[in-house]
Amino acid sequence: MSQTELIEKCKNNDRKAQLHLYRQYCEGMFIVANRFLKHTQDAEDAMQEAFINAFQKIDQFTAEVSFGAWLKKIVIHKSLDKLRAKRDYYITIDEAQLEVIADEDNWQTSDATTLQEVKNEIENLPDKYRVVVILFLLEGYDHQEISEILNISSTASRTQLLRGKKKLQQALKKRNHGTGY
């Protein structure tokens, strides 16, 4: 059965088709949620809520993007909702105070730096930077999309990404050289 046929059956509230789509996407969507929440139960909850929401609103799916991309956006929103519920997550940024970091490509880390070390250091970033870094570097969203998802300006997205990347770079240098400079 094709993806289009499955989606059409889901639009008609076919539980078997919903289960089929769930099984097809649940593992990947759990990974997305867990990147943000860093807690298995919270990630599972966010993923489940996202699927429920997706199936309730499947009539809004227009196939302009793939079903997986559409679902991923819902999972990200549910994950961010869970983060917001746990703490006052976002700090209002006065755009007049945003600084521009000009030299973002100055990455000089050890050749021995592993992918796992980079992932670990991303997980240790403050939430406001970690979320933007994940959305941009790992999920492939651009600043306009990030600004819409997080309800921040594109400038704030760029600044948080640059600051997050700078903190990441400093952490990797410190890990490899014992100093942050």
Side-chain angles (χ1 to χ4, degrees):
M1 185 178 314
S2 75
Q3 186 89 0
T4 306
E5 291 172 322
L6 275 174
I7 291 167
E8 284 305 312
K9 286 186 174 197
C10 287
K11 287 181 179 182
N12 291 321
N13 214 18
D14 183 316
R15 299 290 183 213
K16 287 182 181 180
Q18 290 174 343
L19 182 60
H20 186 73
L21 276 179
Y22 175 83
R23 286 183 178 153
Q24 186 176 352
Y25 287 100
C26 69
E27 188 175 318
M29 294 304 128
F30 170 78
I31 291 168
V32 170
N34 204 38
R35 281 188 188 137
F36 292 96
L37 298 168
K38 296 191 290 187
H39 184 265
T40 301
Q41 187 63 46
D42 289 344
E44 287 174 354
D45 289 348
M47 180 196 67
Q48 293 291 339
E49 290 172 19
F51 271 101
I52 290 168
N53 192 278
F55 290 136
Q56 287 173 342
K57 297 183 178 188
I58 198 151
D59 287 331
Q60 296 175 10
F61 176 68
T62 59
E64 290 176 19
V65 296
S66 70
F67 179 78
W70 183 75
L71 180 60
K72 182 193 270 189
K73 195 167 186 175
I74 295 171
V75 169
I76 290 169
H77 280 284
K78 289 295 178 186
S79 299
L80 294 174
D81 287 346
K82 287 218 168 282
L83 283 174
R84 283 185 200 107
K86 284 188 172 185
R87 63 181 93 74
D88 184 23
Y89 181 65
Y90 294 106
I91 298 171
T92 303
I93 296 177
D94 180 1
E95 290 194 29
Q97 296 174 341
L98 297 177
E99 66 185 69
V100 177
I101 301 170
D103 189 12
E104 78 173 272
D105 294 323
N106 184 19
W107 283 79
Q108 298 173 351
T109 60
S110 168
D111 289 339
T113 302
T114 66
L115 179 60
Q116 190 57 48
E117 287 173 328
V118 173
K119 286 181 177 180
N120 289 343
E121 292 304 330
I122 288 173
E123 292 299 318
N124 292 329
L125 289 173
D127 283 342
K128 68 180 180 178
Y129 300 140
R130 180 175 53 86
V131 171
V132 174
V133 167
I134 289 171
L135 286 171
F136 188 85
L137 296 179
L138 301 180
E139 300 298 335
Y141 287 100
D142 64 28
H143 291 292
Q144 181 62 39
E145 292 168 320
I146 293 170
S147 72
E148 291 170 12
I149 290 169
L150 300 179
N151 198 26
I152 59 176
S153 68
S154 292
T155 304
S157 173
R158 284 183 177 79
T159 300
Q160 288 180 5
L161 175 66
L162 292 174
R163 289 178 181 170
K165 285 170 64 175
K166 185 175 182 180
K167 284 190 173 291
L168 178 61
Q169 182 184 20
Q170 288 170 346
L172 290 170
K173 282 183 180 180
K174 186 174 183 178
R175 176 186 280 262
N176 291 318
H177 302 295
T179 179
Y181 305 98

